[in-house]
DNA sequence: TATTTGCAAATTGTCGAAAATCCTGTTATT
DNA sequence: AATAACAGGATTTTCGACAATTTGCAAATA
């Protein structure tokens, strides 16, 4: 009998904040003044600070002592870093899952692959919702490694996944309309599923890493196009301060 | 130009709590009632909850909604898991560092290895402080991977390192008095340094993993002696997993 | 006897205000 | 003119009290 405990306001607002950051409603480098957030989310300072503190640890929020919180910045450097590490971790988990997985694991892969592939296939579905695309893909990728047997590896993986979501969000809509690219992705993932179910770890990892490489290249293109805006925002922020100082002197 | 900001009480008490948990002053599963902590650390609830919230995210503290916080439990299951993942992550970082490291990196390895090895060698130093042993070893191991080039990998590694510290602490004093074991460790680490400086990644990783395996075996022995009965019941399962890991390499 | 119900005590979670700290623009000093 | 010292205002951080929730225990019920 699992006792259902009422979630605290802190955890509720944590999820809301996380979602707002991941979807870009709160922009990178944006300042997060408590006074504003209090009104926006309709609660007091304590649970807010609690939520923000948690987000600091997993890297979505940055804190400067005595100067409050802000959304963690985005950078190309970090983007390449996270994707690189994420691909390696994913391979590691994949290898372990292939060694450990049982029948239920295989069944789960087939099920989530079915749902994901049918949904995003432009030949079957013309109206894909980027949000749902992301959700289904997440479930599919998770099903592959779920059976790796290591809670900590899954925890680390989840953390990296969350981080990359922020970068993906920048250009997710672009992907939806790239019919040719989508079909390529489908074919590649299909090969991946086949390799995993055949318990061919080496091949599976190779395909997985290849998929990551393509994804990185694609996303980086979009990022370079759009990041200037994101960065300009913070730069202008800094420059405004600089300018003010210059004017006065 | 680095402005020194005064640290908040929350961050101060965070470090104190972390230290108390890592050194075992706060026992695993021990309840952490705020009323008690308030008196113990001499401050109010808000910064305390903030610190505890952070510790929840990185896994040192467990929270149950509406029922407060407690020190995260220790279990053999988790012990094997963390060490396994940590060894793999360490190999990954080692490989990258060997590929990326420069002269300064090599120099740093030699320096910290010198300090560490001289200090723990029972033929040179009879009065070793376990705390300092741990500190020097930490610095030495960090120097090996520092040049891996990935901030995120280092962050993950640091997190796992912290976690294992708690398990090590249970039996750290035993290690200090095992003269033969210490000399064995020294020899092994010496070979590791040689392999790293020779940029022989494969060999280095092999030695590193071998060292972890020995460490796991040794620590597990001590843990089994000291841990309460209830926790041991999954032991056979864990050992099977260890077997699998051993065979693979 | 075993299970459920209901109340009191204890503890957690939240609030609003007070204290501490930082930033900005002005004035004083060299 | 450049630098340092200093208030005023804004923001962050902390406190102490209040509200909400759980837990323990005893009485009631089957």
């Amino acid at each position: 009998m699992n006792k259902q405990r009422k979630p605290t306001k802190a955890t509720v607002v944590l999820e809301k904040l996380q979602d707002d950051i991941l979807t870009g409603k709160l922009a990178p480098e944006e300042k997060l003044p408590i006074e504003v957030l209090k009104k926006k989310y309709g609660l007091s300072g304590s649970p807010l600070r609690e939520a923000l503190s948690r987000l600091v640890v997993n890297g979505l929020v940055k804190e400067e002592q005595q100067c409050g919180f802000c959304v963690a910045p985005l950078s190309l450097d970090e983007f390449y870093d996270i994707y690189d590490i994420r691909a390696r971790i994913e391979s590691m988990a994949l290898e372990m899952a292939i060694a450990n997985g049982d029948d239920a694991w295989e069944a789960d892969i087939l099920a989530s692959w079915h749902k994901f592939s049918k949904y995003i296939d432009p030949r079957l579905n013309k109206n894909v919702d980027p949000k749902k695309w992301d959700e289904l893909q997440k479930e599919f990728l998770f099903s592959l490694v779920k059976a790796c047997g290591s809670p900590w590896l899954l925890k680390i993986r989840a953390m990296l996944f969350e981080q990359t979501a922020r970068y993906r969000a920048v250009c997710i809509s672009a992907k939806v309309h790239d019919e040719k690219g989508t079909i390529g992705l489908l074919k590649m993932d299909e090969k991946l599923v086949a390799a995993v179910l055949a318990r061919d770890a080496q091949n599976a990892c190779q395909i997985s890493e290849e998929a990551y490489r393509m994804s990185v290249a694609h996303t980086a293109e979009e990022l370079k196009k759009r990041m200037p805006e994101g960065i300009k925002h913070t730069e202008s922020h800094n420059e405004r301060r600089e300018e003010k100082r210059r004017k006065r002197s």
Side-chain angles (χ1 to χ4, degrees), chain A residues 93 97 105 108 139 141-150 154 157:
Chain A
W105 167 67
D108 196 36
E139 275 172 32
L141 291 177
F142 180 53
S143 78
L144 293 175
V145 298
K146 202 188 290 183
C148 77
S150 164
L154 289 176
R157 183 187 165 279

Side-chain angles (χ1 to χ4, degrees), chain A residues 87-207:
Chain A
R88 291 166 185 262
I89 294 281
E90 199 78 12
S91 277
M92 188 186 287
L94 208 49
E95 195 186 317
M96 291 170 71
I98 286 173
N100 289 351
D102 57 5
D103 294 346
W105 167 67
E106 294 182 354
D108 196 36
I109 292 175
L110 281 172
S112 47
W113 164 246
H114 186 77
K115 274 190 280 187
F116 174 54
S117 61
K118 295 289 175 193
Y119 186 78
I120 71 164
D121 193 327
R123 294 159 297 191
L124 300 175
N125 184 355
K126 297 294 179 194
N127 290 24
V128 292
D129 169 26
K131 189 94 181 170
K132 189 162 187 192
W133 167 314
D134 218 43
E135 185 61 30
L136 288 175
Q137 183 172 45
K138 183 175 161 185
E139 275 172 32
F140 165 57
L141 291 177
F142 180 53
S143 78
L144 293 175
V145 298
K146 202 188 290 183
C148 77
S150 164
W152 266 94
L153 189 57
L154 289 176
K155 181 176 172 174
I156 290 168
R157 183 187 165 279
M159 201 165 145
L160 292 170
F161 204 94
E162 204 175 276
Q163 288 289 329
T164 54
R166 218 151 58 103
Y167 287 93
R168 269 199 321 275
V170 176
C171 62
I172 184 92
S173 49
K175 219 195 286 180
V176 172
H177 299 108
D178 178 9
E179 184 161 329
K180 202 176 150 200
T182 302
I183 292 178
L185 175 70
L186 275 171
K187 277 190 186 152
M188 183 163 265
D189 277 349
E190 195 166 10
K191 277 197 286 181
L192 177 57
V193 171
V196 169
L197 293 184
R199 309 272 175 163
D200 183 346
Q202 205 185 347
N203 198 15
C205 290
Q206 215 165 337
I207 297 171

Side-chain angles (χ1 to χ4, degrees), chain A residues 10-249:
Chain A
T11 64
V12 173
V13 77
L14 167 67
E15 280 167 29
K16 188 95 183 79
L17 274 169
Q18 185 165 311
D19 194 63
D20 284 354
I21 292 174
L22 258 36
T23 59
K25 258 172 263 176
L26 293 171
E29 303 253 0
E30 185 175 341
K31 191 114 188 24
L32 298 172
I34 323 258
E35 222 39 57
V36 175
L37 297 183
K38 265 168 43 169
K39 282 181 218 157
K40 186 166 179 181
Y41 297 102
L43 39 60
S44 192
S46 331
L48 260 177
R49 289 186 62 83
E50 226 171 277
L52 290 168
S53 296
R54 286 174 140 102
L55 289 170
V56 166
V57 177
N58 71 9
L60 251 43
V61 165
K62 206 177 64 174
E63 178 188 30
E64 266 177 280
Q65 303 275 14
Q66 309 280 11
C67 296
F69 303 88
C70 67
V71 181
L74 245 47
S75 81
L76 263 178
D77 276 343
E78 204 205 15
F79 166 73
Y80 285 119
D81 183 22
I82 292 188
Y83 257 87
D84 180 25
I85 299 305
R86 197 187 135 192
R88 291 166 185 262
I89 294 281
E90 199 78 12
S91 277
M92 188 186 287
L94 208 49
E95 195 186 317
M96 291 170 71
I98 286 173
N100 289 351
D102 57 5
D103 294 346
W105 167 67
E106 294 182 354
D108 196 36
I109 292 175
L110 281 172
S112 47
W113 164 246
H114 186 77
K115 274 190 280 187
F116 174 54
S117 61
K118 295 289 175 193
Y119 186 78
I120 71 164
D121 193 327
R123 294 159 297 191
L124 300 175
N125 184 355
K126 297 294 179 194
N127 290 24
V128 292
D129 169 26
K131 189 94 181 170
K132 189 162 187 192
W133 167 314
D134 218 43
E135 185 61 30
L136 288 175
Q137 183 172 45
K138 183 175 161 185
E139 275 172 32
F140 165 57
L141 291 177
F142 180 53
S143 78
L144 293 175
V145 298
K146 202 188 290 183
C148 77
S150 164
W152 266 94
L153 189 57
L154 289 176
K155 181 176 172 174
I156 290 168
R157 183 187 165 279
M159 201 165 145
L160 292 170
F161 204 94
E162 204 175 276
Q163 288 289 329
T164 54
R166 218 151 58 103
Y167 287 93
R168 269 199 321 275
V170 176
C171 62
I172 184 92
S173 49
K175 219 195 286 180
V176 172
H177 299 108
D178 178 9
E179 184 161 329
K180 202 176 150 200
T182 302
I183 292 178
L185 175 70
L186 275 171
K187 277 190 186 152
M188 183 163 265
D189 277 349
E190 195 166 10
K191 277 197 286 181
L192 177 57
V193 171
V196 169
L197 293 184
R199 309 272 175 163
D200 183 346
Q202 205 185 347
N203 198 15
C205 290
Q206 215 165 337
I207 297 171
S208 168
E209 277 165 36
E210 176 64 22
Y212 270 101
R213 237 168 283 141
M214 282 177 55
S215 187
V216 165
H218 188 268
T219 308
E221 276 310 305
E222 293 292 325
L223 272 177
K224 278 179 202 159
K225 274 189 237 161
R226 298 172 198 220
M227 272 254 289
E229 294 171 26
I231 286 181
K232 212 182 275 177
H233 180 261
T234 78
E235 272 179 351
S236 66
H237 215 72
N238 288 334
E239 266 178 281
R240 259 195 308 235
R241 283 168 77 180
E242 282 298 315
E243 249 178 325
K244 272 188 184 175
R245 194 180 294 170
R246 245 176 286 150
K247 271 183 189 173
R248 263 164 234 126
S249 54

